[in-house]
Amino acid sequence: MTDQSCSDANSHFQRPETQANRALQKEANLPLTGWQQEVSRGLEFGLEAAESISDRSIPTFSRGELPHFAGINTFLKAPYLEDVRKVGEYDVAIVGVPHDSGTTYRPGTRFGPQGIRRISALYTPYNFELGVDLREQITLCDVGDIFTIPANNEKSFDQISKGIAHIFSSGAFPIIMGGDHSIGFPTVRGICRHLGDKKVGIIHFDRHVDTQETDLDERMHTCPWFHATNIKNAPAKNLVQLGIGGWQVPRQGVKVCRERATNILTVTDITEMGLDAAVNFALERALDGTDCVYISFDIDCIDAGFVPGTGWPEPGGLLPREALSMLGKIVQKAPICGLEVVEVSPPYDISDITSLMATRVICDTMAHLVISGQLPRKEKPAYIHPEAQSELVEDWR
């Protein structure tokens, strides 16, 4: 039945003004160009199907989105960009950081990028409620993983900062799949290298503050924001932490938050004040005197019952709908310069549900960037400085 015949058949009904009905109309206005190009490439590179196959858009060798259980698992089956010098030709670059040498309890997040890529094959690029088709509206590539050095945090941090600086300076929007949360410091450091005199606010979804100077005598996954906010481009007053609480928030880190006057909302704060008020709180403080916002999403900010595959699960966290709602509103209302999703640990996961949650966070972020007009980028944002500079470190004490 055609769209017109469906319309005629239902003409005697008055469609209510619902999200679902708005989504139906949005889909009608989305192009199919990207899908048609993908089918054509599949037939060209993967050969035409056997004669017994009725659907002649199917190739012999799996190429592109379908079938979801086959093919090489890049994120969302996006093109793998082997030559990272060409990353600036894309709107979004997915990069894995398989590093868990900063873990202080349960290792396994080095397998996070693999786990997220694998389950991302379950998704299509289209979201019904949001009316967004990523394949049609942006260009996306997967640049693979940064080469981290097992058992050496500092060398790994240097690799991470160099890699993120390269992607960020190209104009492609960087989406980082961790990896433990120690990578929050080198990712922000990489961005700061191309901010010039601009500043970045950090919105950090987590159950833990991660503001200790050291843990077990090293800069570990409990320490990224102590060191990131030592950089002049990332002031401590613009660090906002959402969802903090429970029995795994070390007092050493709490002392730093108090002394540096960072901004914290617990899950109780968020639920009592309401999601919109919490979002406004986060935006007001992260954007105070800054030029862009970096989002660090620790998967354990969500209640442990929904995300068992993480190193430090903590009951009482945000519900998935709460976290996704806040994330979407923040992305639509702020100039976002990058996203990292960390602490996904597939060895502890059940049926890939934690990796799936990470996939949802990434896809929703891209969709809200499209809706807000931040993607695709017509030109590089003004806060990206073309020349790299060493980070300007400022001792806060």
Side-chain angles (χ1 to χ4, degrees), residues 117-188:
R117 286 187 177 105
R118 183 177 63 250
I119 200 62
S120 76
L122 183 66
Y123 272 19
T124 74
Y126 167 65
N127 181 283
F128 174 67
E129 301 105 307
L130 300 177
V132 170
D133 190 328
L134 298 174
R135 177 167 46 210
E136 304 297 336
Q137 294 173 277
I138 63 171
T139 55
L140 171 68
C141 72
D142 190 325
V143 301
D145 293 339
I146 289 175
F147 195 133
T148 58
I149 312 301
N152 193 311
N153 285 341
E154 299 305 322
K155 289 183 179 179
S156 293
F157 291 170
D158 290 343
Q159 287 279 89
I160 295 164
S161 293
K162 182 175 181 179
I164 300 309
H166 173 75
I167 295 170
F168 179 73
S169 65
S170 77
F173 184 89
I175 295 182
I176 300 111
M177 303 182 297
D180 68 50
H181 216 157
S182 69
I183 73 170
F185 162 59
T187 54
V188 170

Side-chain angles (χ1 to χ4, degrees), residues 34 54 181 199 202 370:
S54 299
H181 216 157
K199 290 184 169 59
I202 301 168
V370 170

Side-chain angles (χ1 to χ4, degrees), residues 108-329:
T109 57
R110 68 179 62 187
F111 301 109
Q114 290 182 355
I116 298 169
R117 286 187 177 105
R118 183 177 63 250
I119 200 62
S120 76
L122 183 66
Y123 272 19
T124 74
Y126 167 65
N127 181 283
F128 174 67
E129 301 105 307
L130 300 177
V132 170
D133 190 328
L134 298 174
R135 177 167 46 210
E136 304 297 336
Q137 294 173 277
I138 63 171
T139 55
L140 171 68
C141 72
D142 190 325
V143 301
D145 293 339
I146 289 175
F147 195 133
T148 58
I149 312 301
N152 193 311
N153 285 341
E154 299 305 322
K155 289 183 179 179
S156 293
F157 291 170
D158 290 343
Q159 287 279 89
I160 295 164
S161 293
K162 182 175 181 179
I164 300 309
H166 173 75
I167 295 170
F168 179 73
S169 65
S170 77
F173 184 89
I175 295 182
I176 300 111
M177 303 182 297
D180 68 50
H181 216 157
S182 69
I183 73 170
F185 162 59
T187 54
V188 170
R189 183 174 66 175
I191 284 172
C192 288
R193 287 178 180 175
H194 284 279
L195 285 180
D197 61 355
K198 307 297 185 183
K199 290 184 169 59
V200 59
I202 301 168
I203 295 182
H204 166 221
F205 288 80
D206 207 332
R207 291 292 277 152
H208 316 104
V209 290
D210 294 347
T211 47
Q212 295 173 234
E213 182 171 8
T214 60
D215 195 349
L216 307 180
D217 207 41
E218 296 287 345
R219 297 198 283 193
M220 306 296 276
H221 69 160
T222 52
C223 309
W225 309 128
F226 180 99
H227 301 283
T229 58
N230 274 348
I231 303 172
K232 288 185 178 181
N233 301 96
K237 75 180 181 70
N238 300 117
L239 171 63
V240 183
Q241 301 178 282
L242 303 175
I244 306 302
W247 293 91
Q248 300 165 356
V249 183
R251 291 184 61 186
Q252 302 97 308
V254 173
K255 181 174 182 288
V256 171
C257 293
R258 183 171 59 251
E259 292 173 341
R260 295 197 185 187
T262 63
N263 309 279
I264 296 176
L265 289 181
T266 67
V267 172
T268 300
D269 289 329
I270 292 168
T271 56
E272 289 185 350
M273 71 195 305
L275 300 184
D276 287 339
V279 166
N280 291 337
F281 172 94
L283 292 171
E284 178 183 338
R285 286 155 177 77
L287 289 169
D288 181 17
T290 64
D291 303 275
C292 56
V293 170
Y294 182 77
I295 297 177
S296 180
F297 195 100
D298 188 325
I299 207 71
D300 69 34
C301 74
I302 295 172
D303 186 272
F306 298 96
V307 289
T310 188
W312 282 95
E314 172 63 30
L318 295 164
L319 299 177
R321 282 182 299 190
E322 294 170 339
L324 292 173
S325 175
M326 293 174 66
L327 175 69
K329 291 174 180 178

